[in-house]
Amino acid sequence: SSPCLVTLWTLGVVQRGQFHSLHTCSPPALPVGRITALQALEFWKKHFEESGVTEPDLSSHYIVAHSLGGKTIESLEQRKLTEFLSREKTEQIWKLCTKRLSRMPVQYVIQEWDFRDLTLTMRPPVFIPRPETEELVELVLTDLKNKPSSGDTVQTCLEVGCGSGAVSLSLLSSCPQLQVVALDRSQEAVELTKENASRYTVVNKTDLNKHRADEACSRCSPVSVLVSNPPYLFSDDVKTLEPEILRFEDPFALDGGSDGLTVIKQILTVAPKILSDRGGIYLEVDPRHPPLIQQWVEANVAELRYVETRPDINSRSSNKSLLCLPPLYHYPCVNLRRRRGAAVITLLMCDIQAVLGEKKI
Amino acid sequence: MLKCGDMLVSRWLRLRSLCNRVCPHTRREERKGLLWRRTLIGHQFTGTLASSRPCHSDVGDLYQNECIQRYLQQLMQEYRYICQRLELPHISEADRRALIKKHTELLPLADVFTDIEEALKDQQEVSSLLLGSVGAKDEDKQLTELLKEEEAQISCKVLTLRKNLVKALVPIDPLDSSNVLLEVMAGRTTGGDICQQFTREMFDMYRGYAWFKNWDFEVYNYTPAEYGGLHHAAVRIAGIDVYKHLKHEGGTHRVQRIPEVGLSSRMQRIHTGTMTVIVLPQPVELDLHIDPKDLRIDTFRSRGAGGQSVNTTDSAVRVVHLPTGTVAECQQSRSQLQNRDTAMRMLRARLYQSMMGEEIKHRQTVRKQQVGERSQSDRIRTYNFSQDRVTDHRTGHVARDIKEFMRGGGALDNLISDVLENEEKQALLELVENRGNGRDLTNPD
């Protein structure tokens, strides 16, 4: 009787293998005598520092806390930190920290992370959700709540590029009556989304078979909300990313082409065909993007109306004019809506494969 | 604990029923003995007890207090008067409504009062029967036993009823059901390490207590000190009657122990340290508008690029309310949004405190009282590790087995109930005396 429905499609070919470049630092030997968790923390913090691993402090904290069954060091009992670690635990900590030494992100090392109120499994190379995206979800939820569903029709949401499922699952956990369709080009991502969905038992229908894009599209349209955290980095910037991202995360989830707009444009092209009459699009984009998107939409997609750009909290300030601060420092969510009264295009045979990144980026 | 207390009460009553007259004075003495057994209170408080108020006896004992009796009689008179008035045919609708309101307020009290009177009548009957059976023949002995049994039961009932009655009289603190923001802070007095270690232990104790009471315990801020100590922590505790139980925990707590390491450890020298507990009620409905424009939210991300181009595990958030300079920080969750929500809730609680005018000003005085001069003089409780003993200075309640006590289970709950009962009594006596009638009366005790 559960009202929610998640349908998952997978499309496209999986690219794998190139993410784990074997970068081996000689791992430090296990301690000879018995040590406490606090000593392990200190040791690894120093070692990370010396090896140039970013966030040495937090990294050792999260890994040790995870090994002791907690999420943060603060949530652990003092006793657990001052007790001697068992040989097993010490070995586990050493194993995990050695992984971190290869610059593997902490989220992959401990294989889970929190997104809003959910704890999700994380696995390379599926993109690790960033805090800004929590804001994107907040934005969609606020709008969904302010806009009462028209009559008895169920509201449908399409997420393009679901990754670990963070956005879709958050939406579902807050709005159980929502119908969510989550798409990703990568098989790993869809599988991880399914896995995470079963963690919160929100899935009562999963479909992991490969579908034709148009079929997928017709099954979910019309959608009231199209949400996406598409790859939006400029190709030039991708090269300068930290090894945590560059070596471990799926480049298809990051690289948005020379202007970072490749996938965004694809989504916006398809959107009018699948959006319901008063549907909206919510995208997380690069700070340089909003004016570009606005211009491009006005010139190319008559059915869409650019609504607004909201900065994420990290750039929120006491002064409104500060919104135009060096844009590098805020990651806005773009909100587009279907123009009211615009002609409904009945073409359902849309090129959603483009949206899913089949076109070469 | 209540059960155990009741059991002792009834046992004591069985003994008690051998005497026919209850002399208030001897009764008090016996009660004291009882309490000693129940709470392991030392003998030291017997002397101070002779002063004005009974400061550490059962709530039911207050029933004997003349001021209370007078107050009670007044209320009953008022109740009877209202009943009479309500029966009159010619009163206005407004009057009737006011009377009915007052009537429903007094009804539970009146019910208990009638119950007591009936129970007392029963008791008298049984007593006179007992008196008559004194010196009776052997075959009546069984009957005498039965009568004694019954008398004991009735006395027990009377006592419970009186307790209920007095409890019904105690003024209710409207904030009792509130959730609280509890802060623990290491003292800056001598022996910093000791203070910080103790603060950590106190934090764990309240966490244990929240678990014991089935309350939610949500950490808002946690600033650890070196060697596993704790500088400051703020938590939100939510559940049933949290403020009621924790409001008297605010204040300076003192610790006495021999440090685990260092010279003092080798010399077996006892160190003294303090920590402060601050308990602020968090009203359920916060009717407080905060303009987002007045907030500055600091995160790791605000220091540089973010989005897909950065992967950080730093989820700490600091919220600053610019007009007041109030700051709240949180780094408890791995989710930045959750940390921000928590920090916002903390900020709201703090702003609420400072914005609600007179009442809050008063409560801030309470906070100040709780924080005190952060010296060792106005402590409310001492934790003496070397003597394995916890003493509450307001009631004289002593608990042994400090390790068990610091688990925050039944032992702490006993002490808190004790303090609460004591405070309730003080509040009631204050109320009665402030009504003016009690003022000129010499205290019967």
Side-chain angles (χ1 to χ4, degrees), chain A residues 55 78 130 134 230 313-314, chain B residues 299 310 312-313 335 337 340:
Chain A
E55 302 182 340
Q78 174 66 13
R130 313 286 200 258
E134 295 185 317
I313 57 149
N314 295 321
Chain B
T299 59
V310 174
T312 175
T313 49
S335 152
L337 192 88
R340 190 192 54 174

Side-chain angles (χ1 to χ4, degrees), chain B residues 67-84:
Chain B
C67 305
I68 304 279
Q69 274 294 332
R70 193 168 291 247
Y71 178 55
L72 196 60
Q73 294 298 345
Q74 272 176 0
L75 289 179
M76 285 308 107
Q77 235 166 22
E78 197 180 344
Y79 177 73
R80 280 189 290 268
Y81 173 70
I82 289 169
C83 290
Q84 280 169 11

Side-chain angles (χ1 to χ4, degrees), chain A residues 34-44 81 84-85 94:
Chain A
R34 303 178 72 193
I35 58 162
T36 65
L38 279 176
Q39 286 167 322
L41 274 180
E42 271 308 300
F43 175 86
W44 277 104
L81 295 178
F84 282 118
L85 293 164
W94 249 251

Side-chain angles (χ1 to χ4, degrees), chain A residues 206-322:
Chain A
T206 54
D207 189 349
L208 284 165
N209 296 323
K210 290 190 178 176
H211 283 274
R212 280 175 51 83
D214 53 337
E215 197 188 328
C217 219
S218 65
R219 270 170 84 159
C220 61
S221 76
V223 297
S224 27
V225 171
L226 195 161
V227 60
S228 180
N229 174 16
Y232 58 70
L233 296 185
F234 293 43
S235 293
D236 283 348
D237 297 341
V238 172
K239 293 166 202 144
T240 62
L241 294 175
E242 289 282 347
E244 275 83 359
I245 303 173
L246 209 54
R247 278 189 215 148
F248 293 90
E249 286 187 304
D250 189 344
F252 284 103
L254 303 159
D255 193 337
S258 59
D259 57 357
L261 283 172
T262 311
V263 178
I264 293 171
K265 282 179 187 168
Q266 291 164 353
I267 292 175
L268 294 177
T269 313
V270 176
K273 294 148 201 162
I274 52 174
L275 270 188
S276 71
D277 263 357
R278 300 186 60 185
I281 307 174
Y282 301 82
L283 302 173
E284 182 187 314
V285 299
D286 187 275
R288 288 163 283 180
H289 280 151
L292 298 177
I293 290 174
Q294 192 175 357
Q295 281 166 24
W296 188 82
V297 165
E298 272 160 19
N300 297 289
V301 196
E303 303 92 333
L304 288 179
R305 175 175 59 96
Y306 173 87
V307 179
E308 59 177 336
T309 296
R310 288 187 227 181
D312 72 289
I313 57 149
N314 295 321
S315 58
R316 187 171 297 160
S317 63
S318 57
N319 192 335
K320 263 204 166 163
S321 66
L322 280 179

Side-chain angles (χ1 to χ4, degrees), chain B residues 144-422:
Chain B
T144 318
E145 281 302 312
L146 277 173
L147 281 171
K148 276 181 186 168
E149 191 95 347
E150 198 176 346
E151 198 196 26
Q153 271 172 12
I154 295 171
S155 319
C156 183
K157 192 179 157 197
V158 170
L159 219 73
T160 324
L161 284 170
R162 283 180 180 175
K163 216 171 180 172
N164 291 346
L165 188 73
V166 175
K167 275 200 175 138
L169 284 174
V170 170
I172 297 164
D173 184 344
L175 289 166
D176 270 355
S177 60
S178 306
N179 299 329
V180 305
L181 185 72
L182 181 134
E183 291 178 64
V184 293
M185 224 190 300
R188 296 200 186 109
T189 44
T190 51
D193 291 357
I194 286 247
C195 296
Q196 287 154 10
Q197 191 196 345
F198 180 52
T199 309
R200 168 91 204 198
E201 285 163 329
M202 289 295 285
F203 177 83
D204 288 344
M205 180 178 86
Y206 287 119
R207 172 152 50 192
Y209 190 56
W211 186 82
F212 178 79
K213 297 294 255 184
N214 205 9
W215 291 334
D216 284 345
F217 189 88
E218 192 183 341
V219 183
Y220 276 5
N221 178 47
Y222 194 96
T223 317
E226 278 174 5
Y227 311 112
L230 176 62
H231 274 303
H232 172 260
V235 292
R236 177 175 180 266
I237 306 181
I240 298 164
D241 284 347
V242 179
Y243 184 62
K244 181 179 173 184
H245 287 91
L246 291 181
K247 60 182 166 186
H248 301 303
E249 287 299 289
T252 301
H253 298 243
R254 183 173 71 156
V255 61
Q256 289 179 311
R257 64 156 34 128
I258 297 162
E260 279 166 12
V261 286
L263 185 65
S264 297
S265 168
R266 269 169 279 148
M267 305 281 288
Q268 290 291 297
R269 214 181 277 147
I270 295 171
H271 279 208
T272 299
T274 58
M275 60 81 60
T276 304
V277 177
I278 298 160
V279 179
L280 300 174
Q282 241 194 337
V284 186
E285 279 297 312
L286 281 181
D287 198 20
L288 180 70
H289 178 73
I290 300 176
D291 193 337
K293 272 190 257 169
D294 289 342
L295 296 176
R296 196 185 77 218
I297 300 172
D298 296 335
T299 59
F300 171 80
R301 298 290 169 119
S302 25
R303 300 199 283 272
Q308 291 174 353
S309 60
V310 174
N311 176 10
T312 175
T313 49
D314 190 341
S315 52
V317 175
R318 178 174 58 209
V319 184
V320 186
H321 187 246
L322 298 167
T324 59
T326 315
V327 181
E329 285 176 331
C330 182
Q331 54 184 72
Q332 284 313 295
S333 166
R334 298 189 298 204
S335 152
Q336 185 179 287
L337 192 88
Q338 294 226 307
N339 280 338
R340 190 192 54 174
D341 286 352
T342 309
M344 278 300 293
R345 238 175 301 156
M346 228 155 99
L347 186 80
R348 275 177 168 278
R350 288 188 182 155
L351 286 178
Y352 184 87
Q353 286 302 315
S354 54
M355 279 179 183
M356 293 315 267
E358 276 306 301
E359 201 192 333
I360 294 307
K361 227 178 242 168
H362 162 71
R363 245 179 276 151
Q364 273 175 338
T365 345
V366 174
R367 188 183 194 271
K368 217 175 263 168
Q369 276 166 9
Q370 289 175 16
V371 179
E373 300 298 305
R374 287 229 227 167
S375 69
Q376 293 170 36
S377 56
D378 48 2
R379 68 206 182 239
I380 60 163
R381 202 177 294 156
T382 296
Y383 303 69
N384 193 325
F385 280 79
S386 35
Q387 291 177 20
D388 199 22
R389 182 183 66 190
V390 178
T391 315
D392 194 280
H393 302 298
R394 295 161 297 187
T395 58
H397 187 122
V398 173
R400 309 264 166 199
D401 192 353
I402 203 160
K403 216 172 159 191
E404 176 55 36
F405 185 88
M406 299 293 283
R407 269 191 249 278
L412 175 63
D413 197 42
N414 278 355
L415 185 141
I416 286 177
S417 314
D418 208 42
V419 172
L420 196 62
E421 209 167 81
N422 184 45

Side-chain angles (χ1 to χ4, degrees), chain A residues 83-122:
Chain A
E83 263 174 8
F84 282 118
L85 293 164
S86 68
R87 197 70 197 160
E88 249 179 352
K89 286 266 179 257
T90 318
E91 274 167 17
Q92 194 196 355
I93 291 172
W94 249 251
K95 197 177 126 212
L96 294 182
C97 284
T98 307
K99 280 188 180 176
R100 177 77 189 106
L101 219 47
S102 74
R103 303 300 295 270
M104 181 187 261
V106 172
Q107 296 95 328
Y108 287 154
V109 170
I110 63 171
Q111 295 189 2
E112 64 169 33
W113 203 248
D114 291 349
F115 183 82
R116 295 173 60 90
D117 47 354
L118 306 178
T119 302
L120 302 170
T121 304
M122 297 289 144

